[in-house]
Amino acid sequence: MSAAQRSEATDRELVMTRVFDAPCELVFEAFTDPSHLMKWWGPHGCTVISCEADPRVGGTWSISMRSPRILPQFIERHPTNAGLTLPPTRRSGRGLRDHEDDWIVEKQRGVYQEVIKPERLVFTYGFEDDAGHLLHRTLVTIGLADEGGKTRLTLHQAIFESVSARNDHVRGWTEALEHLGDHLMSTD
């Protein structure tokens, strides 16, 4: 692989690190237990409507999420009505009800590749099209490390089909991890 190809591949990778005031065991459960995932998964304005997870090597996961069509990360995949703009209350938009006709259901799914409780989780990640066919897949690696009772989470996702797709996931994961932090604080 040439230096230019390596650089292009690196541009299509995502790496994020967050520290949560919760033990690794709880953070791991939040990523593998549907009762937790239903409460935090997805960007602002989205709500999980169904979730299944079989967290073992070869097991599958799937999430269906009700999302406003107008979220930036969905506009390319789901064209919107002309002139429709995102409401200013995205942060609190988990219960967003404006523009009822402009909701979509995003379906995501994957297969667990590695499950080491409570340290590491590796799974494929892809969206389904309207016919149920899997679109471009990436590989997500979640690393969890104890830091004095808190958890350092490192998320790596690659390789995206484009830098734009990676940027959409940066936005989505940033907002989802905010929700995760809120969820962990309410799960004492």
Side-chain angles (χ1 to χ4, degrees), residues 74-93:
F74 300 133
I75 286 176
E76 284 186 31
R77 288 196 308 270
H78 305 280
T80 185
N81 296 334
L84 194 57
T85 58
L86 185 65
T89 57
R90 286 185 69 209
R91 175 69 175 105
S92 61

Side-chain angles (χ1 to χ4, degrees), residues 18 41 43 61 69 89 109-110 113 117 121 144-145 147 169 175 183:
R18 299 287 186 276
W41 187 272
W61 67 272
R69 185 184 308 270
T89 57
R109 64 181 160 107
Q113 307 293 305
K117 188 177 182 179
L121 191 60
L144 304 173
E147 289 193 355
H169 280 258
E175 294 175 2
H183 172 66

Side-chain angles (χ1 to χ4, degrees), residues 3-5 16 28 56 63 75-76 80 88 90-92 104 109-110 126 135 141 145-146 148 165 182 184:
Q5 288 171 319
M16 303 177 105
F28 189 90
R56 61 182 172 81
I63 291 178
I75 286 176
E76 284 186 31
T80 185
R90 286 185 69 209
R91 175 69 175 105
S92 61
I104 55 171
R109 64 181 160 107
L135 302 172
T141 302
D146 179 69
D182 293 344
L184 293 169

Side-chain angles (χ1 to χ4, degrees), residues 166-184:
R166 189 249 358 242
N167 292 344
D168 288 344
H169 280 258
V170 168
R171 180 183 303 112
W173 277 116
T174 297
E175 294 175 2
L177 293 178
E178 287 177 20
H179 297 157
L180 174 58
D182 293 344
H183 172 66
L184 293 169

Side-chain angles (χ1 to χ4, degrees), residues 113-179:
Q113 307 293 305
E114 191 175 340
V115 180
I116 304 172
K117 188 177 182 179
E119 303 167 5
R120 185 173 165 89
L121 191 60
V122 180
F123 54 90
T124 60
Y125 182 114
F127 287 97
E128 289 182 8
D129 65 16
D130 290 339
H133 301 110
L134 195 59
L135 302 172
H136 183 84
R137 281 183 299 190
T138 57
L139 188 68
V140 176
T141 302
I142 305 290
L144 304 173
D146 179 69
E147 289 193 355
K150 295 183 179 185
T151 299
R152 174 174 295 281
L153 177 145
T154 302
L155 182 149
H156 178 266
Q157 187 174 9
I159 289 178
F160 292 95
E161 65 270 32
S162 67
V163 172
S164 175
R166 189 249 358 242
N167 292 344
D168 288 344
H169 280 258
V170 168
R171 180 183 303 112
W173 277 116
T174 297
E175 294 175 2
L177 293 178
E178 287 177 20
H179 297 157

